[in-house]
Amino acid sequence: MSATAVALLVAVVLVLALATALVLVITGGRRRDAAARAEVARLVADNNSLRERGEAAHETAELRARMVAHVSHELRTPMQAIMSLLALLDDHSLPLEQRQQHLNTLRGSSEDLLLLIDGLVETAQIDGKRPSPRADEFSPRATLEQLVDLLGPSARKRGLELRAALAPDLPPRLRGDRLRLRQIVINLIGNSIKFTRQGHVELRASARVEGGVARLAVAVGDTGVGIAPDALDKLFVEFARVGDLSLEGTGLGLSICKQLVEALGGRLDVDSEPGVGTTFRFELSMPLAAAPAAEAEAAADTRPRVLVADDDSAGRELLVTALRRGGYAVDGVADGAAAVAGALARPYVAVILDVQLPELDGPGAARQIRDVRGDVALIALTGHTEVDVLGRCKGAGIDAILIKPVKLETLRATIARVAAERSQAIDLAVIRGYVTAEDPAFVPGLIDVYLREAARDLDAMHEAAERRDIARVAQLAHRLKGSSAGFGARLLAERCQSLYAAACAGQGASDELAAVAREFARVKTALSVERTRLISS
């Protein structure tokens, strides 16, 4: 082999060796790159896992803190009631009946606490899902009145008045989550007491019933510091606090209220004006429930029913208790507007009105009641002896005025006397005083003449009113007043006097004229019955 061939062969071998070495280097680099990439990927995955575990731990800690705060707040609600009741029971001067009532309420609050603990355990087991609303059967009036009694001492300790204005026609029984309703109202009242420095806190409730379902409307208003418009958006946010931050609180109360209201199918709304006050309101739909046998008996109670209107809860409760012991069925309201609504909705034999009532004072409430009902006794309670105050009461159709302090025996006797007078369209003693043995047909004939002429005068008054002949209306009202008084129809005579005064003053007298017509219908029925008796005897 020539030297040239050998050199060429060596060159080829070297080239192949270099190529092989280069291939090995490139392959090794790729393997190291893949290993490096794999290591980086593993580190990224590990980092992501650590971050996720950290975030989960943080969320768990937040949930645990929120749960502790919620549990603390929820447990404090019934505990507040229990502590308030224990403070009330510490008063050794309480009558036995009232002490027993507080003990029964304390027992109920303890049962509520146990139910709440069971609910919290259930909530924890459900792992974040809301517990289903309960379906208790309860009295909305009794439930809300208990809360006013429970929280009243807390309000008075701060120099505030806790009022209740519960509509007299609240359904006797509802089916719904009584425990959650109590929690909502206690939280709202407690919040209002906390942020009110002077004035009052008021609980209001009414209901609209349609097709066996009641739409229960509840509102809690106060005369507190109010809330600025720009703070309303965060009012229901957990742990957010607005207003005076120096006051106690976790910022959970209103958030919990909102959640509970929504869980029951309602919505919590708020109206507020800084320096004036705040009102929280919500509505819940609850089916009507049949009253238990004991309550059905109470509903069919034949005892005479009395309505007491007094904004002083302690004084009102005293009157209610005393009158119940005296044989009356008694309801209580805290303002004049509620007194009017109650008197027009239920067949009370008497309404007792404190002269200085909120919303609508005693004489104002009496006037509105008397415009519709002439058969109910109206009795005013007042500490005033001024002539103008007493005159306003008389002018509003109030039958009797009692000056505080009033003996309970005097009050009961006054109710019995005035209610008996008001229940009669005519005073039969007046009619029977005209009866003579010589002419038994005289009084029946007299009744015929009166009824015929009274009906004629009433028709003429309607015609004059349509012509807007107010002078003629006044003339006829005055004449009918005189003849009615002569027949013992005292209430009709009063109606005619009111119509006469309105006509003389040039005021619209349509309401007064309608009241005269209603009362005349009662008089006509009573006189017709008496006429038949006289003819038959």
Side-chain angles (χ1 to χ4, degrees):
M1 180 178 297
S2 66
T4 302
V6 172
L8 181 61
L9 180 62
V10 171
V12 170
V13 171
L14 290 175
V15 169
L16 290 175
L18 287 173
T20 302
L22 181 61
V23 169
L24 290 174
V25 169
I26 293 172
T27 303
R30 287 177 177 174
R31 288 175 179 172
R32 286 194 296 274
D33 288 346
R37 286 196 298 270
E39 181 64 18
V40 170
R42 185 183 65 79
L43 292 174
V44 169
D46 290 346
N47 186 55
N48 289 337
S49 176
L50 288 172
R51 186 176 66 253
E52 289 173 359
R53 287 199 295 269
E55 290 174 352
H58 182 67
E59 289 177 1
T60 301
E62 285 188 346
L63 287 173
R64 184 178 293 110
R66 186 176 292 109
M67 182 65 179
V68 170
H70 272 278
V71 169
S72 173
H73 198 284
E74 295 256 346
L75 292 177
R76 286 176 183 273
T77 299
M79 281 303 300
Q80 172 65 49
I82 292 171
M83 292 177 66
S84 297
L85 282 166
L86 290 174
L88 289 173
L89 289 170
D90 197 40
D91 181 0
H92 300 291
S93 64
L94 280 178
L96 181 60
E97 180 181 351
Q98 195 170 0
R99 185 177 293 274
Q100 184 61 47
Q101 178 183 351
H102 290 332
L103 284 172
N104 291 337
T105 307
L106 180 60
R107 186 178 298 109
S109 295
S110 300
E111 292 171 355
D112 287 346
L113 180 59
L114 180 58
L115 288 172
L116 179 57
I117 293 172
D118 290 342
L120 290 170
V121 172
E122 176 188 358
T123 303
Q125 292 173 343
I126 292 175
D127 190 25
K129 296 181 180 178
R130 289 178 178 172
S132 301
R134 297 172 55 84
D136 308 312
E137 291 191 3
F138 66 98
S139 164
R141 177 177 301 279
T143 298
L144 296 176
E145 285 179 344
Q146 285 178 0
L147 301 187
V148 174
D149 291 339
L150 287 174
L151 299 176
S154 298
R156 288 193 290 272
K157 189 180 295 183
R158 296 174 65 95
L160 304 174
E161 180 184 5
L162 179 55
R163 300 175 179 173
L166 309 182
D169 56 348
L170 280 177
R173 304 284 295 180
L174 294 176
R175 184 179 297 108
D177 198 328
R178 182 186 66 89
L179 176 62
R180 298 301 179 188
L181 176 63
R182 281 172 54 93
Q183 287 179 270
I184 295 165
V185 176
I186 287 177
N187 282 346
L188 291 178
I189 293 178
N191 185 78
S192 289
I193 290 174
K194 184 190 304 181
F195 289 98
T196 303
R197 295 188 177 90
Q198 60 183 3
H200 67 268
V201 175
E202 183 174 72
L203 170 64
R204 299 187 293 274
S206 61
R208 302 190 311 275
V209 178
E210 295 180 2
V213 176
R215 188 68 177 172
L216 180 65
V218 180
V220 175
D222 61 56
T223 56
V225 297
I227 304 167
D230 58 354
L232 290 175
D233 290 340
K234 62 178 182 179
L235 191 61
F236 300 115
V237 177
E238 288 182 346
F239 305 106
R241 299 181 61 194
V242 299
D244 189 349
L245 300 181
S246 66
L247 298 173
E248 293 181 352
T250 61
L252 272 173
L254 295 178
S255 170
I256 290 176
C257 286
K258 181 176 183 292
Q259 293 175 33
L260 291 177
V261 170
E262 291 176 350
L264 298 179
R267 189 180 77 177
L268 182 60
D269 294 314
V270 58
D271 297 319
S272 187
E273 184 176 348
V276 176
T278 303
T279 297
F280 292 92
R281 57 174 55 87
F282 63 90
E283 290 189 1
L284 300 175
S285 291
M286 296 184 179
L288 299 179
E295 292 191 16
E297 277 181 25
D301 198 343
T302 58
R303 293 178 299 168
R305 184 168 290 277
V306 175
L307 178 64
V308 175
D310 194 333
D311 58 333
D312 176 18
S313 57
R316 182 176 66 250
E317 186 60 33
L318 176 62
L319 290 176
V320 168
T321 302
L323 291 174
R324 283 174 179 165
R325 290 176 179 173
Y328 291 97
V330 190
D331 296 319
V333 295
D335 62 73
V340 174
L344 301 187
R346 305 192 70 174
Y348 294 105
V349 300
V351 178
I352 300 171
L353 299 162
D354 187 74
V355 170
Q356 289 186 319
L357 288 172
E359 302 293 336
L360 184 66
D361 67 8
R367 192 176 300 279
Q368 292 189 19
I369 294 170
R370 190 60 80 214
D371 283 344
V372 179
R373 292 191 59 185
D375 60 329
V376 62
L378 299 180
I379 300 169
L381 298 182
T382 180
H384 296 281
T385 57
E386 292 86 348
V387 174
D388 60 332
V389 174
L390 304 183
R392 286 185 62 232
C393 291
K394 284 295 184 183
I398 289 176
D399 298 288
I401 305 169
L402 300 179
I403 307 300
K404 297 178 181 179
V406 179
K407 291 183 178 180
L408 297 178
E409 296 82 1
T410 302
L411 177 59
R412 287 196 286 259
T414 302
I415 293 173
R417 174 180 61 81
V418 179
E421 293 174 355
R422 281 284 171 183
S423 65
Q424 298 177 351
I426 58 171
D427 185 351
L428 293 176
V430 173
I431 297 295
R432 292 169 185 175
Y434 299 140
V435 176
T436 63
E438 293 79 11
D439 189 2
F442 173 70
V443 173
L446 204 60
I447 290 174
D448 287 339
V449 172
Y450 166 77
L451 290 178
R452 184 170 57 251
E453 292 185 351
R456 183 194 63 200
D457 286 348
L458 191 57
D459 288 341
M461 277 190 273
H462 279 102
E463 292 174 0
E466 290 178 359
R467 298 192 309 269
R468 298 187 179 180
D469 186 352
I470 302 301
R472 179 62 173 162
V473 172
Q475 179 189 13
L476 292 168
H478 189 269
R479 184 165 73 186
L480 183 55
K481 169 192 171 185
S483 60
S484 299
F487 266 79
R490 181 175 67 87
L491 302 184
L492 179 54
E494 288 182 7
R495 292 295 194 195
C496 291
Q497 174 59 32
S498 297
L499 175 57
Y500 173 77
C504 289
Q507 301 172 351
S510 59
D511 291 342
E512 287 79 2
L513 182 54
V516 169
R518 285 193 299 268
E519 188 59 29
F520 174 69
R522 288 206 320 137
V523 170
K524 181 179 179 179
T525 300
L527 285 176
S528 298
V529 170
E530 181 64 11
R531 179 185 182 280
T532 301
R533 189 194 69 80
L534 290 171
I535 292 174
S536 301
S537 61

